[in-house]
Amino acid sequence: MEEELASAYDAARAVLPVLEDQAADTDRSAEFPVKAVDALRAAGLMGLLVPVEHGGSGGDLGDLVAIAGLFGSRCVSTALIWAMHCQQVDCVVRFGGERLRAGLLPRIAAGEVYLASVTTEAGKGGHLLSGDAALVGDGDQLRIDRQAPIVTGGGHAEGFLVTMRESPDADDHRVTLCYAERDQLTLETTGEWDPLGMRGTASAGMRLRGAVPPHQVVGEPGGFRAVAVESMIPAGHLGWSAVWLGAARRVLSDVLGMVRARGAEKVSDLTADRLARARIDVELVASYLASVRDEVLAHRRAGTSLAGMPTQIHLNNLKVAASELTFRAVDGLMQVAGLAKGYLRDSPIPVERVFRDLRSAALNYGNDRLTTMTGALALLDRDVTFAPAGLL
Amino acid sequence: MSETPWPAAFADILARHLPLAEGPVPGDAALSDLGLDSLGTVSLVMELEDSLDIAIPDELLVAETFHTAATLWAATSDLLARA
């Protein structure tokens, strides 16, 4: 492993106690985990995916998966904020123009720029690949005026990747992704943030108004679909799944510790069965995550597209399976932990918090949207292609 | 406007799956720009198979086949010739 990457792993392990210590307070307050994210900034971890020549660690999506899992075991909100930042960074690294990359990536690596994502829009039902509010050309600037119902960490980001309809005349499927600096925008927070779980992500709605120069367009104008298929969706589904898996694994580990601490008392068959079921769910997610990760990495190494039907199906399935199985595992473990240790907010093990956090997993890009898509795509893959052996 | 090298039956089916196409579909226009998304591709394939009595093999169900009207017609006409 390269030196930069090895020290990123060391830094990630070193920062875990910071994440752990603030997790309960962050959950209680529903405020952005400033202290934890500052620690990630200071440790250079915001630049995990930034190439070494731009001052980053030069990590790939496999490194994102590994470290997101570590963070997810300590604070699911902080882990998701970080994984989504890395998802945005991947888009800039792969689709940003030379000028944007050279200006922005070193600042990301230095921890100066946390990137938030602005893809949600009222009225489009959570559809990623369409847009309503349009970029308006104004001299040498592109004007943005956009409402977004959910912007994770928007109040604390220094930069935003924003999807906009390409122009006022363009069809709503012609979406342009552009980067906007905080000081290029006037930001207004809309609505309150008081959710069931993932409370630290502080994902209140925002209105963004401002203008950016054309070199801040990421990918081709109107060509967000390619950025989404090759970068935003795979990095998102891999990163989220890794966070949820890390969280469920930690709860399983804590509950095992709790059962062991009961001493020599024999474990009932019912408890043993419940522990086994949770273990099975966690193992299934771990191995499918590894399989899809390897498929994506192999495509990237080979320089081939991720747009093929089987790969799209696998990426969708990963998100759906990880969100459902990790939640199911924690739900079952709550039964093992019981009312006193499982259900109470001030329990020494965070079963209740992670349960609430993971309930969001099926909603964070809705599973229903993915399964209806996958079911239709599956009709075009009668062979039921697993990860292509030739690729791996 | 140049004449298209494919029969009206093909043009009709194609046009039904391109919500953004206005008038005859040019051979070199990207079908995705004319509104063909993944779900549209699924119904397009099924209608082509049904109406033209062909079976499109899975190895042709890749982005390259559905890139433009011309690439899709190339694949379709091959299958028709073999039928």
Side-chain angles (χ1 to χ4, degrees):
Chain A
M1 192 186 287
E2 301 291 328
E3 196 183 316
E4 288 82 1
L5 205 46
S7 51
Y9 277 87
D10 290 340
R13 281 185 285 268
V15 90
L16 292 179
V18 182
L19 268 60
E20 174 92 32
D21 289 348
Q22 53 79 58
D25 284 345
T26 290
D27 175 61
R28 225 172 288 260
S29 67
E31 281 169 11
F32 188 83
V34 173
K35 200 174 154 198
V37 172
D38 280 352
L40 301 179
R41 292 176 191 261
L45 288 160
M46 303 304 267
L48 179 74
L49 299 187
V50 172
V52 173
E53 66 265 29
H54 291 298
S57 306
D60 63 21
L61 294 184
D63 302 305
L64 168 66
V65 164
I67 294 178
L70 288 178
F71 292 170
S73 72
R74 304 308 170 101
C75 174
V76 190
S77 284
T78 305
L80 197 83
I81 287 166
W82 178 80
M84 289 183 67
H85 162 82
C86 291
Q87 176 192 17
Q88 312 309 307
V89 173
D90 190 65
C91 295
V92 175
V93 168
R94 301 186 73 82
F95 286 92
E98 212 25 69
R99 183 169 165 200
L100 179 65
R101 287 162 47 97
L104 179 58
L105 293 177
R107 293 169 55 217
I108 292 173
E112 294 162 16
V113 179
Y114 154 54
L115 280 181
S117 163
V118 184
T119 57
T120 58
E121 193 167 19
K124 65 177 192 178
H127 199 298
L128 180 66
L129 296 175
S130 66
D132 180 24
L135 283 171
V136 179
D138 181 6
D140 55 358
Q141 296 278 304
L142 299 166
R143 296 214 147 273
I144 294 171
D145 185 348
R146 166 99 152 73
Q147 198 102 38
I150 301 274
V151 182
T152 292
H156 294 262
E158 286 81 19
F160 299 83
L161 285 191
V162 187
T163 54
M164 297 288 293
R165 193 150 56 93
E166 183 182 12
S167 70
D169 307 325
D171 174 75
D172 63 3
H173 288 89
R174 297 278 308 174
V175 174
T176 299
L177 182 67
C178 49
Y179 171 68
E181 293 271 329
R182 187 173 198 89
D183 63 11
Q184 290 171 325
L185 298 171
T186 305
L187 298 168
E188 220 177 294
T189 303
T190 55
E192 296 285 302
W193 176 251
D194 187 15
L196 178 69
M198 301 307 299
R199 291 171 57 82
T201 60
S203 304
M206 289 190 114
R207 183 172 179 189
L208 305 89
R209 276 171 295 177
V212 299
H215 79 266
Q216 288 182 206
V217 168
V218 177
E220 296 296 321
F224 172 59
R225 169 178 285 273
V227 184
V229 167
E230 303 297 339
S231 176
M232 193 177 275
I233 294 170
H237 290 193
L238 288 168
W240 297 340
S241 301
V243 168
W244 300 329
L245 174 62
R249 182 185 184 190
R250 187 261 168 89
V251 169
L252 174 56
S253 172
D254 281 359
V255 170
L256 291 171
M258 189 199 81
V259 172
R260 285 276 296 272
R262 289 173 184 161
E265 182 192 334
K266 189 177 178 311
V267 174
S268 73
D269 284 352
L270 189 52
T271 296
D273 179 71
R274 287 186 171 134
L275 292 174
R277 302 265 163 213
R279 176 87 194 212
I280 290 167
D281 285 343
V282 166
E283 296 273 359
L284 287 176
V285 175
S287 40
Y288 195 57
L289 172 60
S291 158
V292 179
R293 173 200 67 198
D294 290 348
E295 183 175 352
V296 168
L297 289 175
H299 272 299
R300 285 194 166 184
R301 269 196 302 275
T304 46
S305 171
L306 302 174
M309 298 279 174
T311 306
Q312 284 195 49
I313 290 173
H314 297 154
L315 280 163
N316 286 353
N317 287 353
L318 171 64
K319 194 269 160 182
V320 172
S323 61
E324 292 182 353
L325 296 185
T326 56
F327 178 70
R328 186 170 78 181
V330 172
D331 189 20
L333 290 166
M334 187 178 272
Q335 200 70 28
V336 177
L339 263 185
K341 292 240 169 86
Y343 197 65
L344 296 190
R345 192 172 266 203
D346 58 359
S347 163
I349 58 177
V351 186
E352 178 268 353
R353 187 180 75 231
V354 173
F355 176 87
R356 285 186 288 105
D357 286 340
L358 292 189
R359 183 60 186 85
S360 76
L363 306 168
N364 184 11
Y365 206 82
N367 282 2
D368 298 347
R369 183 172 282 286
L370 291 173
T371 53
T372 48
M373 168 79 71
T374 301
L377 291 178
L379 292 171
L380 296 191
D381 183 27
R382 278 164 297 199
D383 282 351
V384 192
T385 312
F386 297 152
L391 191 68
L392 302 180
Chain B
M1 197 184 306
S2 62
E3 218 167 282
T4 50
W6 42 79
F10 177 82
D12 288 348
I13 296 168
L14 187 57
R16 273 202 289 282
H17 293 87
L18 301 176
L20 308 178
E22 290 164 7
V25 177
D28 59 351
L31 297 183
S32 60
D33 281 349
L34 298 175
L36 186 70
D37 58 13
S38 334
L39 296 183
T41 306
V42 175
S43 52
L44 173 59
V45 166
M46 299 208 278
E47 197 174 339
L48 285 172
E49 291 190 336
D50 230 34
S51 306
L52 304 180
D53 199 21
I54 52 173
I56 302 180
D58 284 353
E59 60 267 25
L60 287 180
L61 297 174
V62 292
E64 293 75 30
T65 305
F66 298 92
H67 181 47
T68 62
T71 58
L72 182 59
W73 173 246
T76 308
S77 55
D78 272 359
L79 294 168
L80 284 168
R82 269 188 262 159

